[in-house]
Amino acid sequence: LDELPFPDRGAIKNERNLMQAYHDEGVRITSVLASRGCPFRCSFCCSRNVWQSQTRFRSSANLLDEIEMLVKDWNVQFLKFSDDTFTVNKEKVLDFCKMKNERGIKLPYGANAHINTIDNELLNQLVESGCKELWYGVESGSPRILKEIHKSTNIRRIKEVFKLTKEHGIKTRAYFLLGIPSETIEDINMTEKLCDELQPDIVGFTLLAPFPTNEYF
C-alpha cells in the first residue's frame, strides 16, 4: 500500500466535508486508512468478500507522512481511521503510537476496534499517542445472536473492554445491529439492556443490510 500516492483531497473537494457535526466543537475532521481488510468473519459484513479475508497494512512512516500533510496543508484537528478494525494487529498499532509520539504529532484521533483485540498495554499506548475515542461493534446483547453472526466474542468480554476503555479516559461508541432474521423481541430487549449497562458515550443502531456479498442476501 505504501506504493500508492496519498489521496488527492483537492480533487475530491475535501474542504466541503472537513467541518462536520461530528463534534459539538465543530473541529476540522477527515478520514484516513491505515489498512485494508479484516480477518474477522461477521456474517453481516461484506469486507471479507471485498478484500478476500486478507489484511494489508501501510507502514507507520508512510501513514504518518500523510497525517503530517493533513495537519500542515488542511489544518485537520481530528482524525478518523476508517479501517474495518484499526487494532487488528497489535504490533502495528504499537509501532504507530511510538512513531507518532517520536514525531511530535499531537493530532487526536478515533478508530474502530474489535473487542477481542483490546488489552491494557494497547490502551495505554493509544492514550499516549492521542487516541480519544474507540468505536466497538457490539451488535447484540443476545449471546445466541452473537454466536449466529460469528462475532467471536461474548457479553462478559464486551463489558470488561468497555469498562477498561473508560478507565483509560477514552470515549466509547457502541454499534448495535437489529434485524437478523432469527432475532426475537426478547433478543432486542437483551440488546437494549446491554446498551444501558455499557453506557457508551455514543450509540449507533443499524438495520441489517442484505448486501449481495453477505450470507443474508
Side-chain angles (χ1 to χ4, degrees):
L1 295 182
D2 284 7
E3 296 178 7
L4 299 176
F6 301 153
D8 187 341
R9 295 172 187 269
I12 62 172
K13 297 180 173 59
N14 201 177
E15 184 64 38
R16 297 177 300 184
N17 307 108
L18 285 175
M19 294 298 291
Q20 299 182 19
Y22 182 75
H23 284 93
D24 292 336
E25 298 85 0
V27 297
R28 293 171 64 84
I29 303 171
T30 197
S31 300
V32 71
L33 272 172
S35 64
R36 292 180 177 180
C38 180
F40 295 103
R41 301 189 61 80
C42 303
S43 61
F44 54 85
C45 182
C46 58
S47 176
R48 69 180 183 275
N49 300 96
V50 175
W51 304 117
Q52 303 301 310
S53 298
Q54 300 180 28
T55 309
R56 292 175 290 146
F57 301 91
R58 297 168 63 181
S59 68
S60 295
N62 176 264
L63 178 59
L64 288 164
D65 284 346
E66 182 179 6
I67 293 173
E68 285 182 327
M69 179 271 293
L70 291 173
V71 174
K72 177 177 178 291
D73 296 346
W74 293 89
N75 189 29
V76 170
Q77 298 166 305
F78 188 88
L79 196 65
K80 296 192 299 182
F81 281 99
S82 296
D83 306 53
D84 292 321
T85 311
F86 178 71
T87 56
V88 69
N89 185 309
K90 181 178 178 179
E91 295 307 313
K92 290 281 187 183
V93 177
L94 293 178
D95 182 65
F96 166 80
C97 293
K98 178 175 179 288
M99 191 173 293
K100 184 174 184 289
N101 289 334
E102 289 175 348
R103 290 201 187 187
I105 303 173
K106 304 297 184 182
L107 186 67
Y109 65 93
N112 292 312
H114 191 287
I115 293 292
N116 290 2
T117 64
I118 299 299
D119 60 29
N120 194 61
E121 180 189 11
L122 188 65
L123 288 173
N124 282 332
Q125 294 306 308
L126 286 168
V127 170
E128 288 294 317
S129 69
C131 180
K132 301 298 183 184
E133 302 179 15
L134 286 176
W135 314 317
Y136 295 110
V138 178
E139 316 310 351
S140 178
S142 165
R144 181 183 66 81
I145 293 294
L146 289 178
K147 183 177 181 180
E148 180 177 322
I149 63 177
H150 314 309
K151 197 58 194 176
S152 305
T153 190
N154 58 64
I155 303 300
R156 177 189 58 79
R157 176 67 178 155
I158 291 169
K159 291 179 179 179
E160 288 176 352
V161 167
F162 267 77
K163 181 175 182 291
L164 191 61
T165 304
K166 291 183 177 185
E167 288 174 352
H168 282 76
I170 298 176
K171 288 184 177 182
T172 58
R173 176 190 294 234
Y175 293 114
F176 292 97
L177 178 68
L178 299 175
I180 298 298
S182 70
E183 188 175 51
T184 65
I185 293 297
E186 288 73 22
D187 291 320
I188 295 173
N189 288 339
M190 294 169 77
T191 296
E192 183 179 8
K193 181 175 182 292
L194 178 60
C195 184
D196 287 341
E197 291 181 15
L198 296 178
Q199 286 294 299
D201 296 285
I202 312 165
V203 180
F205 280 90
T206 304
L207 296 177
L208 175 69
F211 295 117
T213 52
N214 71 27
E215 64 184 59
Y216 296 108
F217 186 74

